[in-house]
Amino acid sequence: MNWDEFSDWGKKVSDWTQAYHQTVGDKPVRARTEPGDILNALPVSPPEDPEMMEDIFQDFEQIVMPGITHWQHPRFFAYFNSNASAPSVLAEFLASAIAPQCMLWQTSPAATEMETRMMDWLRQALDLPDGFAGVIQDSASSATLAAVLTMREKALNWQGNQQGLFGQKPLRIYCSSEVHTSIDRAIWVAGIGQDNLVRIPIKGDWRGMDPEALEDAIQADLEAGLQPAGVILCVGGTGTGATDPVDRCLEIAQKYGLYTHVDAAWAGSAMICPDYRHYWLGIDQADSIVFNPHKWLGVQFDCCAHFLKNPDDLVQTLAISPEYLKTHGKDGIINYSEWSVPLGRRFRALKLWFVIRAYGLEGLRERLRNHVNWSVDLHDRLAAEPDFEIVTPPMWSLWTFRYVPTEASDLDDLNLRLVNTINDDGRIYLTQTRVDGDLVIRFQAGQFETTEDDVKMAFDVITEIARELTP
Ligand SMILES: *Cc1c(COP(=O)(O)O)cnc(C)c1O
């Protein structure tokens, strides 16, 4: 294939994309393939000779599409959504067409300067103080790793990268029992060790860290000769939306001089609405905050917003400047590769620019508020059914429930069968989690094309399928 044929194929792909997004709601949400089906449909060895684009495209439709779980389906209520809105898809097309590698300012000044401006737009949208600077990371996992490395280096007086951790006092990092597994992995990769990730008990409806227990744990570690290094807070945890009391926990962390990182990967998007900001009161005192526009803000994966009160700490932790990367004499420029673990960077700011302009903040807020309100309505209806139990209350658009008919003996087994039968049915897609050891079913709404009727349909599907099961 050469560029002369590109435009015909580009039109075809563009028509296909529009039709896909407009009809995806007619398909079963979760892929209906068995393990190995797709692998077996793909030739074992690569072709020696060129193949026609017609054949490649036909195989894409016949082999690939049946094996896709439709994340852009309006009744995808599982995990958290990963939205690809129309303007975002267009921006990604353009970014992949020009395909710049944006590691340094000079390797594409527009990408760097747009990233600076877009992160400041997002900062204003979240109403963070203007001292915060932002960088786009590939994922919340990477942002959290960067923050944990910063905690480590600060606590070791910037000697860890040079000397390693041998012979150092164990560093201690505190979080609640509800944080995402990306926190554990950051601790492993940073060489701090799982045993030094201290889980603070939770309390209250928000399932947030108990601040008194946090302070007790820090004091106990100091007395034992260990070295507290940082606190990681959770705003909108993945299982149930658990949210720590940000203001009180940050106050304690500051009292002991600890670096703080707030993981709001999912719920951070909702903070463009002033109505939800009471969930993270005191956030302006955090050192590092992460949220994923690639979840709930319509900007497709990957695009992770990482805000820093003092980016110098991060840059001091991560910057390496060998001669061939020096930018020679350009003052006042930012090389964002010094703010992240990977060196190479895609042009991710472009899709933020397209999406924020195409919807406006008000258009984005309206979508998020609808998702929350429709989800709460569904919660209210299910709560009124005597054979259903709400396990955790709505945090934004996320809540959990169980089917509890009186004659049931093994509720975990029954609810696992329920979620599996619902997903085999295909009209909606849900996932399960555990709350205090019990298997529960999660509901959350957040797909950009979801309508109120889509959310209402979940009530019919859940109750109808549940009541057909043998308890
Ligand atoms: C999704 C999620 C993450 C991980 O995000 P990635 O960008 O996939 O690394 C981390 N924390 C929370 C609370 C999440 O919901």
Side-chain angles (χ1 to χ4, degrees):
M1 168 153 186
N2 60 41
W3 286 102
D4 295 341
E5 303 164 46
F6 188 84
S7 152
D8 285 346
W9 280 103
K11 288 189 192 95
K12 187 160 178 185
V13 167
S14 152
D15 290 346
W16 183 94
T17 304
Q18 178 166 333
Y20 173 69
H21 278 262
Q22 288 178 336
T23 58
V24 64
D26 304 335
K27 302 183 200 309
V29 193
R30 195 181 64 176
R32 286 188 161 157
T33 44
E34 294 299 323
D37 283 356
I38 311 300
L39 186 63
N40 293 331
L42 297 167
V44 176
S45 305
E48 292 292 340
D49 297 316
E51 294 188 32
M52 300 298 292
M53 190 50 67
E54 282 80 6
D55 296 334
I56 301 173
F57 194 78
Q58 193 183 345
D59 285 348
F60 164 73
E61 290 194 291
Q62 289 178 2
I63 301 175
V64 177
M65 288 315 291
I68 291 295
T69 291
H70 299 290
W71 283 73
Q72 307 311 318
H73 195 296
R75 291 185 302 281
F76 184 107
F77 302 126
Y79 308 98
F80 288 129
N81 294 93
S82 182
N83 282 292
S85 65
S88 174
V89 174
L90 288 177
E92 275 291 69
F93 189 109
L94 294 172
S96 77
I98 49 182
Q101 209 281 38
C102 312
M103 57 186 172
L104 304 174
W105 177 86
Q106 70 172 8
T107 65
S108 269
T112 294
E113 294 185 15
M114 182 171 291
E115 183 160 337
T116 304
R117 185 63 79 212
M118 287 310 104
M119 288 304 294
D120 201 62
W121 280 14
L122 285 180
R123 177 194 66 73
Q124 295 172 51
L126 266 51
D127 197 31
L128 294 174
D130 63 10
F132 277 92
V135 56
I136 303 179
Q137 307 272 13
D138 54 8
S139 62
S141 304
S142 287
T144 295
L145 175 59
V148 167
L149 291 169
T150 306
M151 287 175 187
R152 185 188 82 182
E153 287 308 293
K154 274 199 96 162
L156 296 176
N157 203 20
W158 314 103
Q159 294 305 308
N161 283 336
Q162 185 65 35
Q163 298 172 0
L165 303 186
F166 307 104
Q168 302 285 358
K169 283 195 216 173
L171 300 179
R172 305 285 277 178
I173 292 182
Y174 309 86
C175 66
S176 86
S177 49
E178 297 285 306
V179 294
H180 189 263
T181 50
S182 57
I183 314 301
D184 300 69
R185 293 211 274 185
I187 299 293
W188 305 345
V189 176
I192 290 170
Q194 184 82 57
D195 291 350
N196 293 310
L197 182 63
V198 186
R199 306 272 182 188
I200 307 298
I202 56 169
K203 66 174 197 186
D205 273 358
W206 289 10
R207 302 178 66 77
M209 185 189 297
D210 174 358
E212 278 153 31
L214 171 65
E215 182 154 23
D216 291 347
I218 297 171
Q219 280 180 350
D221 282 349
L222 287 169
E223 280 160 28
L226 307 175
Q227 178 148 9
V231 179
I232 299 176
L233 301 181
C234 172
V235 172
T238 315
T240 65
T243 296
D244 294 327
V246 171
D247 49 353
R248 296 191 52 212
C249 294
L250 291 180
E251 207 176 293
I252 291 164
Q254 277 182 350
K255 179 169 158 194
Y256 293 91
L258 306 183
Y259 193 84
T260 52
H261 173 65
V262 179
D263 177 7
W266 163 64
S269 293
M271 300 310 189
I272 65 169
C273 308
D275 6 347
Y276 305 126
R277 294 196 192 127
H278 62 282
Y279 281 120
W280 72 1
L281 282 184
I283 190 69
D284 51 320
Q285 295 303 309
D287 292 311
S288 163
I289 304 164
V290 66
F291 92 96
N292 281 338
H294 71 226
K295 277 184 170 148
W296 207 359
L297 223 48
V299 182
Q300 80 209 66
F301 194 82
D302 51 356
C303 182
C304 166
H306 187 191
F307 290 101
L308 298 141
K309 181 177 282 164
N310 180 7
D312 290 350
D313 288 339
L314 180 68
V315 172
Q316 194 170 346
T317 301
L318 294 178
I320 301 180
S321 303
E323 191 53 36
Y324 66 89
L325 291 180
K326 293 246 166 73
T327 44
H328 302 298
K330 295 268 181 197
D331 287 327
I333 59 164
I334 297 178
N335 294 320
Y336 278 119
S337 55
E338 299 183 338
W339 299 43
S340 56
V341 176
L343 172 67
R345 329 184 72 246
R346 304 173 61 239
F347 187 4
R348 301 191 189 92
L350 192 66
K351 54 192 168 184
L352 275 171
W353 193 49
F354 272 49
V355 168
I356 297 172
R357 293 179 67 187
Y359 293 105
L361 289 177
E362 206 40 59
L364 295 170
R365 286 188 196 107
E366 189 191 334
R367 278 183 162 69
L368 298 177
R369 286 187 182 119
N370 281 341
H371 297 154
V372 173
N373 294 338
W374 297 336
S375 176
V376 170
D377 289 346
L378 177 68
H379 159 275
D380 294 348
R381 283 180 73 198
L382 208 64
E385 296 295 310
D387 50 350
F388 282 88
E389 169 189 277
I390 302 300
V391 181
T392 59
M395 295 295 286
W396 299 271
S397 63
L398 168 65
W399 45 278
T400 63
F401 67 94
R402 252 152 94 88
Y403 179 46
V404 289
T406 44
E407 60 276 32
S409 52
D410 186 344
L411 285 174
D412 280 5
D413 173 69
L414 180 65
N415 280 277
L416 188 59
R417 279 192 288 135
L418 175 57
V419 75
N420 287 335
T421 314
I422 287 172
N423 293 337
D424 288 344
D425 170 85
R427 282 173 288 172
I428 66 173
Y429 185 25
L430 302 175
T431 37
Q432 71 279 5
T433 186
R434 288 207 176 254
V435 174
D436 303 329
D438 292 337
L439 189 131
V440 305
I441 303 178
R442 291 167 81 254
F443 182 89
Q444 71 80 35
Q447 210 285 324
F448 255 41
E449 302 300 324
T450 295
T451 64
E452 187 168 12
D453 283 342
D454 287 316
V455 179
K456 281 184 173 159
M457 189 198 285
F459 179 85
D460 301 333
V461 175
I462 293 167
T463 52
E464 171 197 309
I465 293 180
R467 288 164 188 161
E468 280 167 8
L469 289 177
T470 17

